[in-house]
């Protein structure tokens, strides 16, 4: 008796259940490996950006020296996006010499919106893991009962 012989002797419904569980397992492993690779890459890029952040003499210097390929990390993207909007707000500075409340609020809202987009990108496929994790035991139980 081998696994393939047992699979061959199973009824069509049991074969469908086994193939479905195998497909779900492959999907979970693919998502997990992709998330592991992405987080490892982002950690490396975060270390590189933080090193550049603390080594520069001033934040505007880092902004000038931030190359587009460095903005592939969420920290660098938020930094360049926020500083770009801050510079636009400084150009709209009122006569009193300070930033008005709406400019500060606009920068804050831009950063919140960018952060939400980044989080959505990082959480991609996580609902699939939840769905598979909650349904797989019931599909397995159905296959067991049917068999």
């Amino acid at each position: 008796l081998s696994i393939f012989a047992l699979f061959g002797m199973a009824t069509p419904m049991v074969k469908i259940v086994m193939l479905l569980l195998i497909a779900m397992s492959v999907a979970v492993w693919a998502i997990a490996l992709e998330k592991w690779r992405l987080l490892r890459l982002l950690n490396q890029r975060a270390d590189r950006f933080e090193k550049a952040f603390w080594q520069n003499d001033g934040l505007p210097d880092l902004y000038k020296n931030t190359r587009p390929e460095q903005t592939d990390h969420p920290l660098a993207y938020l930094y360049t996006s926020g500083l770009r909007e801050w510079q636009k707000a400084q150009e709209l500075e009122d006569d009193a010499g300070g930033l008005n409340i709406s400019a500060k609020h606009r920068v804050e809202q831009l950063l919140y919106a960018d952060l939400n987009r980044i989080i959505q990108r990082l959480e991609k496929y996580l609902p699939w893991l939840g769905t598979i994790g909650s349904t797989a035991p019931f599909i397995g139980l159905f296959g067991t009962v049917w068999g």
Side-chain angles (χ1 to χ4, degrees):
L1 290 175
S2 70
I3 300 256
F4 298 110
L6 290 173
F7 183 79
M9 292 187 298
T11 65
M13 181 58 73
V14 174
K15 287 179 184 178
I16 290 171
V17 168
M18 284 192 280
L19 291 175
L20 183 61
L21 289 174
I22 288 170
M24 292 169 85
S25 176
V26 168
V28 166
W29 278 104
I31 293 170
L33 290 175
E34 172 60 23
K35 291 298 175 188
W36 175 78
R37 183 199 65 79
L38 177 65
L39 290 177
R40 194 182 80 216
L41 180 67
L42 288 177
N43 280 334
Q44 290 171 353
R45 290 177 182 169
D47 291 342
R48 187 180 72 215
F49 178 75
E50 287 176 10
K51 183 178 179 184
F53 183 83
W54 292 111
Q55 284 181 347
N56 277 309
D57 294 331
L59 297 180
D61 291 337
L62 176 62
Y63 175 67
K64 291 176 193 171
N65 297 331
T66 301
R67 297 186 308 269
E69 63 268 12
Q70 288 179 317
T71 59
D72 57 358
H73 185 272
L75 288 176
Y77 180 78
L78 285 174
Y79 173 75
T80 56
S81 175
L83 204 52
R84 185 178 307 121
E85 190 65 29
W86 184 260
Q87 286 179 343
K88 285 180 191 177
Q90 284 182 335
E91 292 172 2
L92 302 173
E93 200 170 300
D94 62 1
D95 295 333
L99 291 176
N100 62 26
I101 298 299
S102 65
K104 291 178 184 179
H105 183 70
R106 190 176 71 231
V107 170
E108 185 177 282
Q109 292 303 313
L110 172 83
L111 289 177
Y112 281 131
D114 286 345
L115 183 61
N116 284 332
R117 277 192 297 262
I118 289 169
I119 289 171
Q120 285 177 351
R121 244 187 3 249
L122 291 176
E123 291 178 346
K124 188 177 180 181
Y125 301 121
L126 289 184
W128 282 99
L129 288 179
T131 301
I132 291 171
S134 63
T135 59
F138 295 110
I139 292 171
L141 180 61
F142 170 74
T144 300
V145 170
W146 189 272

